[in-house]
Amino acid sequence: MNPRRRFIKYSALTTAGILASPALLQAKRRIAPSDQIRVGLIGANNMGFGILRHHLALPEVVCAGICDIDQNVLDRRIKEVNDLTGKSPERFTDFRKLLEKKDLDAVIIGTPDHWHCLIATAACEAGKDVYVEKPMANSIGECDLMAQAASNYGRIMQVGQQQRSGQAFIESRELVKSGYLGKIRKVNIWSNFNYGLGNLKKSPTPVPDGVDYDFWLGPAPKRDFNPNRFHGSWRHFWDYGGGLMSDWGVHLLDMAIWIEENPAAPSRVLTYASNVNLENRDRDTFDTMNVLYPKKDFLINYDMNGGLQTGPYGKPYGIGYVGEKGTLVVNRNGYEIYPEWDPEAKAPKIEAKKLEGMKESHNLHVANFVECIKTRNQTICPPEAGRIAALHAHIPNIAARVGAEELIWNDAKREFEGNKAANELVWPSYREPWVLPKG
């Protein structure tokens, strides 16, 4: 099924259902137990729970369990699911116990990035399908392991790059690939968000009551507890995430990759990175980056600015497909085409088009995942798409960390050419007793 037909189908499936409405609860009761899809949530504090809510808005989905290392989060989320559905999911503090459930069909992974690989590979081995938040993993090597696990165990995996399910992005891709804009010269991407600065520095504090902090760290290095490295802001530290580049970068870069004739990992990457704002900020990651990806079909130019809120065309973030006949600018709210002027014809080269009023597409992305669980068809964002998008974010981050303006990536060998320091960051080092999964 092509992306536009997917959008129409899943939009119809999800927009009619309002979670906890009497009609939806009645519909859930009519689903035979044998036709139910039982999901478990691992990592329930933020986005993971939002994704669970979208699952529960589908009549056939039941929440069988929730796992979190924070008892306070666990208490709150179990109560919310009970209030929404009239049933309390089973409670877990160790994801391995949740995966032992024989009647569990799938898991949602909403943990910090450094946990994605361990949990996803274990879930595949346990025979569970996987919805994993983006970026796919916290390192290049871990992305490979996850893709291999999904293939080896025949599991359905959806990576949470939900823009692939959004109408504005689907229509934009169709317009680009149809040739409406003419030959694409380059794709300009920008993301300007204040939170990219990270938090102001704080002193270490005691571990909050109810939190198993050692389990939260998991394979990451042992460190004293600091609220800046915990809920909500962990992504600014290399141990757990990749900053604004891996948070928004994979979303936006994926939309450039999606229009390639044969989507592929980047080979040559040129990176400028700096921390411009040093005013008592607590972060490892960079607030300012410019990255060039020379591709076979066109150039991708990514401009990232933490601490800024405005950008080209009056949008804090967006993608501009620059064609010979016009430029199409798109973000989650919609798109607009800016035609080039034909001086001989004294007229625009193409007709201007516009789409406005779009909303988030998490619900459509979830509906696609659930449909693929039933049909065993490939999801709209399968593991290889997640891997390639993650590489476009990880490579410039690695370049910036090792001080390389240019890196050459050999995807066949899964290594950088001529840069030992960069190759040392392809794979993470796991803290005992955690062990990196085997491919």
Side-chain angles (χ1 to χ4, degrees), residues 15 24 68 107 118 165 167 184 200 207 229 392 405 407 412 439:
T15 54
L24 179 61
D68 204 283
V107 294
L118 267 174
S165 296
Q167 183 180 357
I184 297 299
L200 295 173
V207 177
R229 303 176 71 97
H392 281 75
E405 293 182 358
L407 285 176

Side-chain angles (χ1 to χ4, degrees), residues 3 162-175 248 251-252 255 258-259 317-319 321 330-335 355 358-359 361:
Q162 76 278 356
Q163 289 174 170
R164 287 182 172 232
S165 296
Q167 183 180 357
F169 296 101
I170 290 171
E171 290 193 16
S172 295
R173 179 174 183 259
E174 289 176 345
L175 285 163
W248 268 91
H251 278 311
L252 302 175
M255 294 298 95
W258 207 23
I259 68 163
Y317 72 94
I319 302 159
Y321 301 102
V330 59
N331 67 13
R332 293 176 182 178
N333 298 319
Y335 67 78
L355 179 70
M358 295 295 98
K359 297 181 179 178
S361 49

